Amino acid sequence: MGVNLRGRSFLKLLDFTPAEIRYLIDLSKNLKDLKRAGIKHDTLKGKNIVLLFEKTSTRTRCSFEVAAHDLGMGVTFLDPGSSQMGKKESIADTARVLGRMYDGIEYRGFSQELVEELAQYAGVPVWNGLTDEYHPTQMIADLLTIEEKLGRLKGVNFVYMGDARNNMGNSLMVACAKMGLNFTACAPKELFPAEDLVAKCKEIAKVSGATITLTEDVQAGTKNADVIYTDVWVSMGEPDEVWESRLKLLKPFQVNKAVMDNANPEAIFMHCLPAFHDLKTEVGKTVGEKFGITEIEVTDEVFESKQSVVFDEAENRMHTIKAIMLATIGS
Ligand code: CP
Ligand code: NVA
């Protein structure tokens, strides 16, 4: 049966079948080829989208803007201070207003509940640009990157190290379960993903043939890994005070040369970015100086190594977000 995503919102990968995810990966590849060949693809000319950001962003915002322009669409960007949403106007009212003017709405913010509510009332596709619980647009980019680099998804041994119960840990576990990658969360048990989501993913994995493993053992967890993935140890919206306990908990789970050497020789290193791999950022410098460290979730050596594919992964955010908008708005 053909895949038709027109009119659908993109809120979390749990809502999509493997065939639909496959369709989005393949469409992304086509759009990437068109862009590379310099072939115009402004098939959504005359349409308009709005971007609502309650948290900061580089990749997601720029991907939506560039992809929308390539597709011929107009874009309005609203940052936290510049709309009435939540302060003077409810989510439901905001959604119904924006849905009258725009053909699609991107939302980055805090609770998943909020983006689900926006989608319920908007009457046009809503795309989740990151919530505390999920980061689904990042997943299509990550799957595309893995397939480009390793030539396959099914059977790939995927290891996520670090805060495994944040938006990235949750989303990657779902993505792997759906698409047949063997997912290992290598983390302290305090930061394992929630039991109900793990149970859900184990059910999904039965169909795709994937495995789901949670371990605190870095040596065993990263053995035979094809992908080593990490994310920041403190996410947007978390208070600065958690840094101290998080650093203590996660220190053994840093991605460093020993971890990469223990993985398969051809293993790739991935990170959704931004990353703290040196002290060249405000936060990196403050945390580094306070706790006497120079690198946090990944060493500079690994980040800058040949195995690191983080910038190809970042580029793929744009091609994949373009595919998600094209598929759900429809031309
Ligand atoms: N990976 C990601 O979502 O990056 P931004 O926070 O810069 O959008
Ligand atoms: N877990 C990170 C992801 C950033 C893209 C955060 O929420 O800050």
Side-chain angles (χ1 to χ4, degrees), residues 55-56 59-60 108-109 129-135 138 160 163 166-169 231-238 271-274 317:
K55 290 177 178 169
T56 50
R59 277 144 295 272
T60 310
R108 166 173 286 198
L130 179 147
T131 58
D132 292 342
E133 288 93 337
Y134 294 111
H135 195 5
Q138 178 80 46
Y160 178 84
D163 181 2
N166 74 7
N167 40 24
M168 288 303 304
D231 181 22
V232 289
W233 288 352
V234 176
S235 285
M236 289 184 277
E238 293 194 293
H271 192 309
C272 57
L273 305 183
R317 297 297 310 286

Side-chain angles (χ1 to χ4, degrees), residues 175-188:
C176 289
K178 291 258 175 190
M179 301 311 283
L181 293 81
N182 300 318
F183 177 85
T184 298
C186 192

